[in-house]
Amino acid sequence: MKIYEQLGKENSNIRDVADSRPEDVLSYDKLIFGIPTWGIGELQDDWAVFLPGLEDMDLSGKSVAIFGLGDQESYPDTFADALGTLYDALTNTGCKITGSWCTLGYEFIESAAVRKGEFAGLVLDEENQSQLTDLRIKDWLRKVAPNS
Ligand SMILES: Cc1cc2nc3c(=O)[nH]c(=O)nc-3n(C[C@H](O)[C@H](O)[C@H](O)COP(=O)(O)O)c2cc1C
């Protein structure tokens, strides 16, 4: 919701994966997916249903930015792991994945969301670093949606 508000409601739509089908993404050229990590490094239930279908889509020509929510203090060994699962699922869809994010400023032991030394997308920690969220979103949107 915060990302939607910063993007500008007139420029974007927001959808809940719980009420969406993977085919719905075909209506958009530019997409942002947000994913929390649940269990121990696992997908939240609605995402677990949505992701297998998304993985099989042809998203060639689309630009996709991804972000994840996690809790680095309570889950330092599986911090934002679902973001890595989402990244892996998108790699064979033909889309361009944008918005990798520096790991500086976070304290965790392991994260499956790290790719080549960076997070595969923006990581937000509303439990421990909510005061940084707005600025992180602003900086990230400057990269992934410079015209918004
Ligand atoms: C039962 C439970 C398990 C969680 N497991 C993880 C985890 O493995 N890794 C992580 O980074 N965060 C974990 N979290 C933290 C959530 O990802 C975080 O609270 C997030 O903001 C939840 O977003 P949501 O309320 O939009 O689903 C867990 C939270 C709960 C309640």
Side-chain angles (χ1 to χ4, degrees):
M1 185 56 87
K2 286 185 170 181
I3 290 179
Y4 177 50
E5 283 166 0
Q6 285 203 28
L7 267 178
K9 293 179 179 174
E10 63 289 350
N11 299 325
S12 52
N13 287 323
I14 186 167
R15 300 282 300 260
D16 187 338
V17 283
D19 309 321
S20 305
R21 294 164 309 151
E23 306 82 62
D24 295 342
V25 308
L26 295 174
S27 316
Y28 304 96
D29 289 335
K30 292 183 181 169
L31 292 147
I32 297 178
F33 291 123
I35 191 164
T37 300
W38 279 78
I40 304 294
E42 285 162 24
L43 299 177
Q44 179 271 341
D45 287 351
D46 298 310
W47 262 107
V49 171
F50 186 79
L51 198 59
L54 183 68
E55 199 165 17
D56 289 338
M57 308 289 301
D58 178 2
L59 304 181
S60 307
K62 298 187 188 300
S63 168
V64 180
I66 55 178
F67 71 95
L69 291 145
D71 175 345
Q72 60 201 291
E73 262 183 49
S74 303
Y75 301 93
D77 296 315
T78 56
F79 181 44
D81 274 11
L83 182 66
T85 308
L86 173 60
Y87 178 86
D88 290 342
L90 287 169
T91 48
N92 289 326
T93 62
C95 70
K96 182 176 174 226
I97 305 172
T98 65
S100 60
W101 189 249
C102 185
T103 58
L104 282 178
Y106 303 83
E107 264 186 55
F108 60 97
I109 297 165
E110 241 175 87
S111 170
V114 176
R115 293 290 182 289
K116 295 182 192 155
E118 292 202 308
F119 288 124
L122 173 66
V123 172
L124 301 173
D125 184 339
E126 285 287 90
E127 311 302 325
N128 311 293
Q129 297 181 327
S130 60
Q131 77 283 4
L132 298 177
T133 292
D134 286 348
L135 190 58
R136 281 174 171 163
I137 290 174
K138 194 170 165 210
D139 286 348
W140 186 68
L141 284 179
R142 220 179 269 147
K143 275 173 60 170
V144 303
N147 300 322
S148 65

